[in-house]
Each structure stands twice: as C-alpha cells, then as structure tokens.
Amino acid sequence: MSEKVATNYEADTDYSLNKVPREKRNMGWLSITNITFGIATAIFYFQMGSVMALQFGAANAIISAIYAIIVAGILGTFIAYLSAKSGMNVNLLSRGGGFGYIGASLTSLIYASNFIMYCAFEGLILVSAIHTFFPAIPEWTLIVFFGSIVIPLNWFGIKQLDKLQKWSLPIFGIFLVTAIIVSIFTPPVNDGSILAFMPKGVQLGGEALLLCMGMHHGIMGLTALLASDYARFLKPKDIKIGSVAIGFIPQIFCFGIMGGLGIWFGVRLGEANPGVYIVLLLGIGGALFTMLTQIRINITNIYSGSLSLSNFFENIFNFTPGRRFWVVVSGVTAMVLMLGGIVDYLDKVMTFQGVFLLVWAAILVSDALFVKKLLKIGPNYYEARQEFLHKWNPVGVVSLLICSGLGTIAALGYMGAFLQNTAAIFAAILAAILTVLLALATKGMYYLTEEPQDIHEDDKLSS
C-alpha cells in the first residue's frame, strides 16, 4: 500500500483532523458504548474505591460515587450529543465552541498529555502485577513490552477498537465474577457490614465526604469528555438514546460497579492496592486479569491521545503525518514516562488536569446550551475548518485560563479546606457562568470569520 493510499485510508476511517461525514456515522449506540467500556473497566477504579473506603469510610465513598455518576453522566450525555450531532470530537468541537482554532490547540495539547500520563500510570499497575510473579524479568523489559503492545492494537482505528473491546469484555467478565466469588469465601479482615465500615475518628459526611469527592473530581472531566472521541461515529437515528447511554452507562460502571467492587474488596480484604488483592484472590489468574484490564484501558488512552496530538500539530505547525504517527509518539512517550519515574509526580499534575478537564467540559456544555441555544449568540452549529474561524475566541480561552487558574489555586489549599476539596466543581461552575458573560460582552463576533454554506440542516443544534 503506497503512502498516499495509506494516508487516505486512515483519513477515511479515523477523521482525526476533520468531522466525520454523515454517511460515515454508521455505528450503533451499543457498539460505541462497548468501546467506552475500555476505560470503564480499568483497575484504577478499584483502587479509587478501596482507598476511599479504607481512609474515609465505605458510606462516604458510596455517596461520592453516586455524585460522580450524576455529574459526569450529565456532562458526558451533553458532550456525546454535541459530538454525535456534529461528527466532531471535543478537540474539533472546541474550535467552533468558543475557543477559535488556535485557542482550541491549548485544550488539545493538555488533553493529549492527560491520556499519555494515564497510560503511563495504568501501565505501571500492569508491570507491578506481572513483576510480582516473574521477579527475574527486569521491570524495564516489562515496560517496553507492554508499552509497545498498545501501538499495533491501535493501528486500524475505531473499527479495530470495537472488535478488541467486544471480544475481550466477556473474558473480563469471567475474571471479575471469579474474583467476587473467591472473595466471598475468603475470611474477611474487617468484621461486620461492608457498608457500616468507618475508620476510627472518621464520620459520615463533612470533610471525609469532601475528600472523596475531591478524588472523584480528578477523573470525572476525563470520563465525560472521552465520550466525544467515539460518539462522533454514532448513527443519526441513535443520537438521543445513544447520547444518554454513552454519557451514563460508562459512569455507572466505572464509578458505581468498579468503584463499588473496589470498596467491597478493600474493606473485606483490608488492602487498598488492587494489584495486591486481585493477585491474592486469583493467583496467576489475577496477573492475567490485570493484564487484560490495563491493556483495554491503554488502548483507549493511546487512541484519544493520538487524536489530540494530531489536532494540536495540525493547528499550530500544519504538520499532518497521520494519526498512526501520533499513536507511536503517544506510546513511546508513555514508556519514557514510566522508565524515567516521572509518574511519581503524577498526583500534582493530575490536580491541575482534573480541574482543567472539568472546566473545559463545563465551557463546552455552557456554550452549547446557553450561548448557542438559549441566547442565540454565534452559530447554532460547529465549524472546525480554519478558513471560517478566528484564531482566538475569548469566550472559551479566557474562561478556561481564569477558571483553571483559580481552580488550581483552590485545589492547592490557598482558598481554604472547603474549596480545596471542591476546587474542580467550583471552577467548572465559575467557567459556565463566565462563558455566558463573555459571550454577551463579545456578542458572538469571534466565532466565525464568514458563514459556511455547506452545513447540513441536521448538524445544527436547532434541528
């Protein structure tokens, strides 16, 4: 296959730099929802549930999980709807959704770095589990091996992802049910009801609940935004049911089922690290289970990271080597992060990114619902082509910079304990308000340089 044909094939199947044409939006909502389970089945959610339950009490962890499902589900539903309507992922939506084509590049780069760092974090969980059983194999060898696997698994884009996630999901289910059954027959470390478990000195509600919510804020924006990378391929007739399914079902699974099982395993076994208790329960099967879940999540991490890098370099440098090139870059960068130990500082980076992603999601939803639909400011559709866009739109860019900055300051503790633990949601609400105010002040003059004449009527928000 020649380079030109290969490039055209990739453009026809992935649309990393353009919206998906209406005739190519041909995937059912069940297939799209199945793909998003790649991130929903990550062991990371076990760890969140276990840590929160053991440190802050099972009841506080459950209440926080319900809160995360509702907030991330609502945001994810709106974003999935916008993506399915327009055929664009959030990187392209941002161009015509309040940022301009250069302003949207800021979001693309940080979004890409988020997926690459999560890939490194998830990859290390896998390496740790395998190294436990095979200590003779150097960790760097495992990092290179498992870091490389996700590259060919991403080679053929969305259709390949659908098949991989579809066929691996039943295997995941078998492992998961087996772990639950074995844990039931394993003598518990903590006696009494799981729901009643509360560490000494911790009470229901108050600071403990806020700390749980703060942990959820670090990932809620990602799970809401991620829907757009796949919802853009949704069949037009499935938009309504598909948007709700894609928005809520993964949230219910990752925060509710996976997080809930993390609470169960953590309290019952007295261990917060799933890399330890899954292996304790299933032996070598636990290592295989960890391998399956982490490869599933890292396939989606690399896919979304490659799309964002494609958008950034096309926008800023007009460099368009194709999505596959960025798949390799994303995979290699994640391996370098793992090998270099940079992931030891992920908690500080994720504090900012948790705020940033929730703010970004809030701006996109506020721009669509209030600016475009309610106030009728700017176009009632999304345009991603540079020739029709301003480089910068202050509506989104200023809102993002100010609110992400204030949210990060709050998250670092400079605005008091309450805002420290609610920084992301505080910044998101502020961003939604500021988006509307800036749109009113600028009167929509920075959305388009000229009106395109080829927007399909069904791609408009009013249709």
Side-chain angles (χ1 to χ4, degrees):
M1 184 182 291
S2 69
E3 182 178 350
K4 182 177 181 180
V5 172
T7 302
N8 288 339
Y9 172 79
E10 183 179 344
D12 286 342
T13 55
D14 282 296
Y15 302 98
S16 56
L17 302 176
N18 302 287
K19 73 176 183 179
V20 179
R22 294 189 62 80
E23 65 272 14
K24 297 294 184 179
R25 301 176 206 173
N26 51 19
M27 295 186 70
W29 67 270
L30 278 173
S31 290
I32 300 294
T33 304
N34 172 66
I35 294 172
T36 63
F37 270 117
I39 189 169
T41 56
I43 281 183
F44 173 75
Y45 297 106
F46 276 169
Q47 188 160 12
M48 284 185 69
S50 299
V51 168
M52 284 189 283
L54 291 174
Q55 291 187 7
F56 309 117
N60 285 320
I62 291 170
I63 294 171
S64 181
I66 295 171
Y67 159 80
I69 290 170
I70 294 171
V71 175
I74 291 172
L75 288 175
T77 296
F78 278 117
I79 289 170
Y81 176 81
L82 298 177
S83 178
K85 259 293 193 183
S86 63
M88 302 179 192
N89 63 9
V90 285
N91 298 296
L92 294 176
L93 282 173
S94 297
R95 297 186 188 185
F99 290 86
Y101 73 85
I102 296 295
S105 299
L106 173 65
T107 64
S108 296
L109 184 61
I110 299 179
Y111 196 43
S113 68
N114 178 88
F115 283 111
I116 291 170
M117 283 189 286
Y118 267 115
C119 182
F121 178 72
E122 301 285 358
L124 282 180
I125 293 177
L126 169 56
V127 167
S128 176
I130 302 299
H131 188 66
T132 300
F133 272 93
F134 304 102
I137 303 176
E139 286 196 356
W140 70 265
T141 305
L142 294 173
I143 288 172
V144 172
F145 177 74
F146 289 112
S148 301
I149 280 179
V150 295
I151 294 175
L153 293 178
N154 257 291
W155 208 247
F156 296 104
I158 190 76
K159 298 294 185 181
Q160 184 182 24
L161 289 185
D162 181 31
K163 292 178 181 177
L164 288 168
Q165 303 294 20
K166 186 179 294 180
W167 289 106
S168 62
L169 187 60
I171 302 172
F172 166 83
I174 292 170
F175 274 119
L176 184 60
V177 170
T178 303
I180 294 170
I181 293 172
V182 173
S183 70
I184 291 174
F185 292 99
T186 301
V189 173
N190 296 295
D191 295 325
S193 169
I194 300 291
L195 297 178
F197 176 80
M198 195 72 70
K200 187 177 180 180
V202 176
Q203 296 180 336
L204 180 64
E207 185 179 4
L209 178 58
L210 289 176
L211 287 168
C212 288
M213 292 167 64
M215 290 179 67
H216 275 127
H217 287 155
I219 191 71
M220 283 162 53
L222 174 67
T223 58
L225 289 165
L226 183 67
S228 76
D229 287 336
Y230 312 104
R232 61 201 175 112
F233 293 96
L234 195 62
K235 293 178 181 178
K237 71 180 183 66
D238 286 353
I239 285 181
K240 289 185 178 179
I241 185 174
S243 298
V244 176
I246 296 165
F248 269 97
I249 291 177
Q251 320 299 340
I252 292 170
F253 201 88
C254 64
F255 296 122
I257 296 177
M258 293 293 285
L261 287 172
I263 294 170
W264 161 271
F265 288 132
V267 174
R268 189 171 180 84
L269 303 175
E271 173 60 56
N273 187 347
V276 174
Y277 60 66
I278 292 297
V279 171
L280 175 68
L281 291 171
L282 301 180
I284 188 66
L288 293 174
F289 179 56
T290 304
M291 184 188 308
L292 177 67
T293 59
Q294 301 314 91
I295 289 176
R296 279 168 59 85
I297 175 61
N298 273 349
I299 290 172
T300 59
N301 279 333
I302 294 297
Y303 180 78
S304 294
S306 68
L307 292 180
S308 297
L309 287 177
S310 295
N311 273 276
F312 175 78
F313 281 91
E314 186 260 348
N315 256 358
I316 301 300
F317 302 106
N318 198 29
F319 180 54
T320 56
R323 188 191 63 84
R324 290 171 178 167
F325 174 84
W326 297 115
V327 165
V328 176
V329 170
S330 299
V332 171
T333 304
M335 282 187 275
V336 170
L337 288 175
M338 287 188 277
L339 291 168
I342 298 178
V343 290
D344 294 338
Y345 305 97
L346 278 181
D347 57 338
K348 295 181 178 61
V349 177
M350 292 304 177
T351 296
F352 166 74
Q353 290 192 335
V355 171
F356 170 87
L357 292 174
L358 213 54
V359 165
W360 183 15
I363 291 171
L364 288 175
V365 171
S366 180
D367 176 78
L369 284 182
F370 301 111
V371 177
K372 286 181 166 61
K373 288 276 285 182
L374 184 62
L375 298 175
K376 309 295 183 186
I377 296 175
N380 66 338
Y381 53 84
Y382 288 89
E383 177 56 70
R385 293 168 291 186
Q386 292 186 10
E387 59 265 33
F388 296 106
L389 297 170
H390 290 277
K391 290 183 177 180
W392 303 91
N393 187 338
V395 172
V397 174
V398 173
S399 297
L400 184 77
L401 293 176
I402 290 177
C403 298
S404 293
L406 289 174
T408 301
I409 292 171
L412 294 174
Y414 294 108
M415 294 185 180
F418 178 77
L419 284 182
Q420 182 175 10
N421 297 308
T422 58
I425 202 70
F426 153 73
I429 293 171
L430 187 63
I433 296 170
L434 189 55
T435 297
V436 175
L437 294 177
L438 287 171
L440 288 169
T442 58
K443 300 179 181 179
M445 67 178 69
Y446 294 100
Y447 279 87
L448 295 172
T449 55
E450 62 176 294
E451 288 269 356
Q453 301 301 313
D454 58 351
I455 303 297
H456 195 285
E457 196 64 29
D458 289 340
D459 284 354
K460 296 180 179 179
L461 294 178
S462 57
S463 64

